Amino acid sequence: PPGIVRLFCTESALLGIAGSLLGLLLTLSLSYAVDVAAPTWRPPVSAREVVLEIRRVPDILIGSFLLFVLFTTVSAWFPSRKAARKPIVDALGHV
């Protein structure tokens, strides 16, 4: 049973890493695309245009990456513990 739980958690962690990397790359590429486009907005009370920008904060990007990987790993831990205690036929009964 501990090997089954470890296997499920490892698979979930790898999926979390892959999904978080894809999301991080998509976020960075879209934020750079906004920087290149340099969209502006004219507030109703101002005569000047304001350049819209997306700020990339490395601490928040890294923290959210790690948090998403942690969530995916922990979310696999609970059902894998339950499945590891059952006989194989019962654990695969929903397939």
Side-chain angles (χ1 to χ4, degrees):
I4 293 172
V5 173
R6 191 176 325 110
L7 181 68
F8 275 104
C9 288
T10 302
E11 179 187 7
S12 181
L14 289 174
L15 287 171
I17 290 169
S20 295
L21 277 177
L22 182 64
L24 186 63
L25 290 174
L26 189 62
T27 298
L28 290 175
S29 63
L30 288 176
S31 70
Y32 284 119
V34 168
D35 283 350
V36 169
T40 58
W41 175 63
R42 186 181 305 254
V45 265
S46 176
R48 281 185 1 171
E49 288 187 336
V50 177
V51 177
L52 300 176
E53 63 181 352
I54 297 176
R55 295 185 186 183
R56 293 171 292 278
V57 181
D59 292 342
I60 292 178
L61 292 174
I62 293 169
S64 63
F65 175 84
L66 294 174
L67 196 63
F68 290 145
V69 172
L70 178 71
F71 283 164
T72 58
T73 306
V74 170
S75 67
W77 184 68
F78 290 108
S80 65
R81 278 189 35 207
K82 187 176 179 181
R85 286 189 223 133
K86 291 182 177 181
I88 295 173
V89 175
D90 294 335
L92 295 174
H94 69 280
V95 176

